[in-house]
Amino acid sequence: MTPSPSRPSVLFVCVHNAGRSQMGAAFLTHLGQGRVEVRSAGSAPADTVNPAVVEAMAEVGIDISAETPKVLTVEAVQASDVVITMGCGDACPYFPGKRYLDWTLEDPAGQGVASVRPIRDQIEQRVRGLLAELGIAAAA
């Protein structure tokens, strides 16, 4: 029996793990359809996911209402092939040999859903680009 090829793993990191990284992880999970291992975490996680982010994602048919912010661990970084930082600055641990991408995006914290939509749409486009780089066709 031939072992199945391993799935690439991607970690999305932002400070609070309540907005950008949650949207990135949700889009990658949704569009990757199980072909990518997805994690998200924050260097200083909030208590809950931003309600405007939950609402903006629901508008595109992705329910993240049950998600909770998680603390960034060294193990999560070590277990990931690609680490996507979204404004966490020096709080993100660095390990040689990992692929790091820094996605500069406006922080949705404290903003209403109208302000979150363009951030959501930018993240979706970047996730689609990431899937293409990984050689994985995005779900329709």
Side-chain angles (χ1 to χ4, degrees):
M1 178 190 276
T2 314
S4 63
S6 65
R7 299 181 302 165
S9 65
V10 177
L11 170 65
F12 290 91
V13 182
C14 66
V15 176
H16 300 299
N17 190 222
R20 294 167 289 188
S21 56
Q22 290 283 350
M23 288 190 280
F27 273 122
L28 189 55
T29 298
H30 179 74
L31 297 170
Q33 295 187 313
R35 293 168 292 175
V36 181
E37 187 177 345
V38 182
R39 299 177 181 86
S40 73
S43 53
D47 294 330
T48 60
V49 175
N50 178 335
V53 166
V54 172
E55 184 178 341
M57 292 301 288
E59 289 176 355
V60 295
I62 300 175
D63 180 9
I64 62 169
S65 61
E67 295 297 326
T68 56
K70 293 167 269 317
V71 69
L72 177 63
T73 64
V74 168
E75 294 77 19
V77 176
Q78 289 175 322
S80 301
D81 299 312
V82 180
V83 179
I84 299 174
T85 58
M86 302 168 136
C88 66
D90 296 336
C92 294
Y94 178 82
F95 292 95
K98 297 290 174 199
R99 179 173 174 209
Y100 287 85
L101 300 173
D102 185 39
W103 291 359
T104 304
L105 296 155
E106 193 174 341
D107 189 347
Q111 299 195 51
V113 72
S115 297
V116 172
R117 285 184 192 114
I119 302 167
R120 173 201 66 201
D121 295 345
Q122 288 175 37
I123 291 171
E124 179 182 6
Q125 290 311 309
R126 290 182 187 206
V127 166
R128 288 180 180 279
L130 175 67
L131 282 166
E133 287 176 33
L134 294 172
I136 298 170

